[in-house]
Amino acid sequence: METINVLWFKRDLRLYDHAPLRQALESLYATLLIFFFEPSVIQLAEHSERHWIFAKESLQDLQNRLRPYQAHIYIFENEVIPVFKRILEKYKIHAVFSHQEIGQKVTFDRDKQFKKFCQAAQIQWIESKKDGVLRGLKNREGWNEQWVATMQTPTEKVNLTKLKAVHLEPSFFENYGLLNIENQKFTHDLQKGGETLAWRYLKSFTQERIVNYAKHLSKPAESRKSCSRISPYLAWGNLSIRQVYQVMQAEKEKFPFLQHAFTSFESRLHWHCHYIQRFEMECSMEFKNLHPAFDAVRQEVNPEYVHAWQTGRTGIPLVDACMRCVNATGYLNFRMRAMLVSFLTHHLFQPWQAGVAHLARQFLDYEVGIHFCQFQMQASTMGTASQKIRIYNPTKQAEDHDPEAKFIKTWLPELQNLPTYLAYEPWKITHLEEHLYKFKLGIDYPYPLVDIEESARKARDTLFEISKTDFAKRETLRITQKHSMPAYIAFG
Ligand SMILES: Cc1cc2nc3c(=O)[nH]c(=O)nc-3n(C[C@H](O)[C@H](O)[C@H](O)COP(=O)(O)OP(=O)(O)OC[C@H]3O[C@@H](n4cnc5c(N)ncnc54)[C@H](O)[C@@H]3O)c2cc1C
C-alpha cells in the first residue's frame, strides 16, 4: 500500500504563505490535496449559498493554478471521517497537514472527533496556527508581542515545483460526494472569490484607493470603494493577515502623507485577529452573552420586529437601506453594520441571537470570531471595562454620513421623490407634502416601528441600571482581566 500525506484545505484557500502546504511539500511522500463541503456545516443557520459560491470560485482559481504542476484538489460534499476511511482502504496516510480552525461548535466538535480518528489510525495530524491566533490561552499577556512577531516573520515559501500530487480514481469514490466544480459558472453581483482577485483588491487599495480611506470609512456609499474590501478574502484565507500586513508596511513607506490611513488600516488588521482570539478563548459566545448580568433582559423575541428588520421594513430609512443593501450585495462598512445591530438590540430591544444568523448569511466575509464578538459588542453584552453602551441614532448617522440621502434613495426607491429631510424622517411628512410628493406614509413606506429617541432612552436606562449592580461590576472585572489588550489597539 502506498504511503501518502494529505493536505486538508480549510478556510485557507491560497497557495502562498501556507505553512501546511510548505510542510507537505517538504515531506518524502506524495500529497493528496483535499477540501470538504460538509453537510453539517452547510446546514448551519449562519451559512448561505453565497458563502459556498465564494469558496467554489476560490477553489476554481486554485485548480487553474495547480494545473501546470499536474495537481488537483479533490473536493467532497461529505463529512470528513467517512471520506478518510475510504482513502485508508487504498493508502496508508503518514500525516495530515492543515491550519487550525477557529469555527463554530460544529467544526470544533468535528476536529475533536478527527483527532481521535487520527490517533486510532496512527496518522499524525499536524496543525499550523492561523493569522497569529493561539489555541488554549488563559489570558492575553504577551499576545500582542507574539502577534507582531508573527506578522514580521517572512512569509512561508511554497515551492510548487516540489509538489508530487496524489491522483484519486473517481470511480473508487462513487457515492462519497466527489464534486467536479471545474466548469461550474456562477452568476451574481457579489465579490468573486479567489487568491488572484484577492491580490488585485489588496494592491488597488494599498496603491490607490487608500487615499480616501480615512475620509470615507464611515460613509455607507463611498466606503464601498474606499475601504479595502479584502474581508471575504481574509475570511476564506485567499490572503493571510501576514501577507496583507507586509504589503501594507512596504506601501506605507512610499506614501508618507497617508500615514493616518495606513495606521487605521493596520489597527484593523490587529482587531481582526484580536476578536478571533477572544472568540477562541470564549467560544460559548456563539450561544450566550459574554457578560451574564445582561441575561436578565431581552429574553423575548418579537417575530414581527425581527422580520421587519431582516427585510428592511422598519420604517427607519437608513436602517432599511443598509439592510436591503447588505441583503443584495453582501457588504456594508463597519459603522452601518454596528448601527443595524444596535437598532435591533437597543431600539427594538431584541436579543442579539435573534439577528446574528441573518447577518452572517448576508455578509460575504462571515468570520465566526469577529461576527459573534462584534454582535455582542454592539448589543452591549460584551462587558469589558472599555465598552460603553453605544446606541446609534440612525437619523443622525444618515445626516452625518449620507448627506443628500443618496444611499437611502438608492436602496429605498419609494423615497426617491422626497426632499432630503423627509427621506431621513418620512414620519414627519405633512398632509400637504403627501399630496405634493405623491407619497403616502403607511402605504408607500411603513410607519416607524418605534420612536427612536424614546426607545434609545429606555434601552440606555435599563442597561445602565444593570451595569451598576455589584454582580455586573465583578463580572466586568473578570472579563477585562482575561481579555484586556494594550491600549493602543483598544477602542472604546
Ligand atoms: C455586527 C458586526 C459584524 C461583523 N462581522 C464581520 C464578519 O463576519 N467578518 C469580518 O471580516 N468582519 C466583520 N465585521 C467587521 C467589519 O465591519 C468588517 O471587517 C469590514 O467592514 C470589512 O470591510 P473592509 O475589508 O473593506 O474593511 P477595512 O476597513 O478595509 O479593514 C481591513 C480589514 O480589517 C479587518 N477589520 C476591519 N474592521 C474590523 C473590526 N471592527 N473588527 C475586526 N476586524 C476588522 C477586516 O478583516 C477587514 O477586511 C463586523 C462588524 C460588525 C459591527
Side-chain angles (χ1 to χ4, degrees), residues 55-107:
K56 284 181 181 170
E57 289 166 342
S58 305
L59 286 160
Q60 285 177 335
D61 182 55
L62 294 187
Q63 302 287 36
N64 288 339
R65 289 164 50 238
L66 284 167
R67 207 165 291 123
Y69 305 96
Q70 280 80 47
H72 179 84
I73 304 171
Y74 290 87
I75 302 166
F76 289 89
E77 184 163 346
N78 201 339
E79 301 301 338
V80 175
I81 292 178
V83 174
F84 267 91
K85 282 188 176 160
R86 187 68 170 162
I87 297 169
L88 285 176
E89 290 176 28
K90 274 247 160 161
Y91 300 96
K92 182 171 171 10
I93 300 177
H94 170 69
V96 176
F97 297 97
S98 75
H99 273 111
Q100 289 175 344
E101 185 172 352
I102 312 298
Q104 290 183 239
K105 185 170 184 307
V106 168
T107 59

Side-chain angles (χ1 to χ4, degrees), residues 258-438:
L258 287 174
Q259 288 310 299
H260 175 57
F262 276 106
T263 308
S264 302
F265 181 64
E266 183 175 349
S267 309
R268 282 161 179 80
L269 299 179
H270 274 97
W271 297 351
H272 177 107
C273 302
H274 158 73
Y275 284 117
I276 297 177
Q277 183 68 57
R278 178 172 290 185
F279 185 80
E280 204 292 322
M281 293 163 69
E282 288 290 350
C283 58
S284 64
M285 285 178 75
E286 183 182 342
F287 305 104
K288 52 185 197 177
N289 294 337
L290 180 57
H291 198 307
F294 296 99
D295 292 352
V297 286
R298 297 186 282 208
Q299 289 164 339
E300 300 249 320
V301 175
N302 177 332
E304 279 171 30
Y305 275 10
V306 174
H307 181 71
W309 179 77
Q310 288 182 348
T311 50
R313 305 276 305 157
T314 66
I316 309 292
L318 189 61
V319 171
D320 292 341
C322 284
M323 188 58 89
R324 292 190 207 175
C325 169
V326 74
N327 289 351
T329 68
Y331 181 79
L332 264 188
N333 67 6
F334 171 79
R335 182 177 287 260
M336 296 301 125
R337 295 183 194 206
M339 184 203 64
L340 280 182
V341 176
S342 173
F343 185 78
L344 176 77
T345 57
H346 295 129
H347 296 278
L348 301 182
F349 218 57
Q350 298 297 295
W352 57 265
Q353 289 92 334
V356 73
H358 173 78
L359 280 186
R361 286 195 295 274
Q362 310 313 315
F363 292 159
L364 195 56
D365 59 23
Y366 170 52
E367 171 66 60
V368 182
I370 303 176
H371 192 69
F372 280 90
C373 286
Q374 280 295 349
F375 244 83
Q376 295 225 25
M377 182 106 175
Q378 306 309 331
S380 313
T381 57
M382 189 74 106
T384 52
S386 65
Q387 194 198 355
K388 301 182 178 73
I389 295 169
R390 172 125 206 227
I391 303 182
Y392 289 82
N393 177 325
T395 303
K396 180 159 188 321
Q397 293 300 317
E399 288 163 356
D400 291 350
H401 300 297
D402 186 21
E404 288 163 41
K406 277 193 191 146
F407 178 80
I408 288 178
K409 290 183 179 182
T410 303
W411 293 100
L412 308 179
E414 61 271 44
L415 305 187
Q416 194 68 47
N417 296 333
L418 298 185
T420 305
Y421 68 96
L422 285 175
Y424 292 150
E425 300 178 297
W427 56 88
K428 291 194 172 160
I429 198 161
T430 62
H431 194 57
L432 178 68
E433 286 167 331
E434 281 192 329
H435 280 287
L436 209 55
Y437 303 120
K438 299 191 179 42

